[in-house]
Amino acid sequence: MPDALPVITIDGPSGSGKGTVTQRVAAQLGWRVLDSGALYRLVGFAVDQRAIGFEDENKISKIAEELDVEFKDGKIFLDGREVTDLIRTEGAGNNASKVAAMPGVRAALLDWQRGYAQPPGLVADGRDMGTTVFPTAGVKIFLTASAAERAQRRYKQLKEKGLPANLAALTTEIEERDARDRSRAASPLVPAADAIVIDSTALSIEDVVETVLQNARRVYPATS
Ligand code: DC
């Protein structure tokens, strides 16, 4: 039985479309969103800013525990400074992936993430939402797409934001980041045993959103 509080988890590798699907499903249902990747990006960014290197897990976990973050009107502030776009670069994604491999960092962010589960419901986007953070979620989705397709999507996204992008470099970075996320010991990127796996390579965002909504209505019939 799923928990009384409705939770949909949407996990998968970078560029699989999780972020967009999460936003649209949450908007349709009127539920909250947890963008857990942003939390790891914020920790990576804070570590980079402090120039302490990416080796000392104790120090980095402490930074994660004490992170001074504010989410306001679609913007993200770290130590009072707006970092919304700064944490979206590929460099910030790579730094996020490094700190995300540290069990101490993952532990520091766990309760914070669980705190997002509030009425009327939550759509949580990440890598371990269905396996570790919300193991009793009623609907678990694992969204994939080929690495080439994901690199293309990321390239388009970055260009649209006016950020620098190189397709070949992006493909390599995506493959490296995936390999690190899948092979780490702490909460690796794997589908939960009860996840619905959707390959979005040849699907539109609308198709994926509709599949998720159908499952949400089936499991949580009170959902509009
Ligand atoms: O989804 P994203 O690209 O913003 O995530 C950035 C990095 O954070 C990604 O390489 C893996 C890590 N991450 C994670 O380990 N667990 C999560 N729940 C979310 C992100």
Side-chain angles (χ1 to χ4, degrees), residues 18 36-37 40-41 88 93 96-97 100 106 126-129 154 177 181 184:
K18 291 173 294 139
S36 61
Y40 290 96
R41 284 172 183 268
R88 294 292 158 199
S97 171
R106 305 199 74 86
R127 303 291 188 291
D128 62 340
M129 298 296 99
R154 191 64 107 199
R177 178 138 45 112
D181 292 342
R184 68 180 175 222

Side-chain angles (χ1 to χ4, degrees), residues 11-15 18 35-41 87-88 92-101 106 113 125-129 133 154 177-178 180-181 184 186-187:
D11 290 306
S14 324
K18 291 173 294 139
D35 171 6
S36 61
L39 305 184
Y40 290 96
R41 284 172 183 268
I87 62 162
R88 294 292 158 199
N94 279 322
N95 289 340
S97 171
K98 285 180 202 159
V99 299
R106 305 199 74 86
Q113 295 176 86
D125 160 356
R127 303 291 188 291
D128 62 340
M129 298 296 99
V133 182
R154 191 64 107 199
R177 178 138 45 112
D178 282 357
R180 198 185 303 129
D181 292 342
R184 68 180 175 222
S187 294

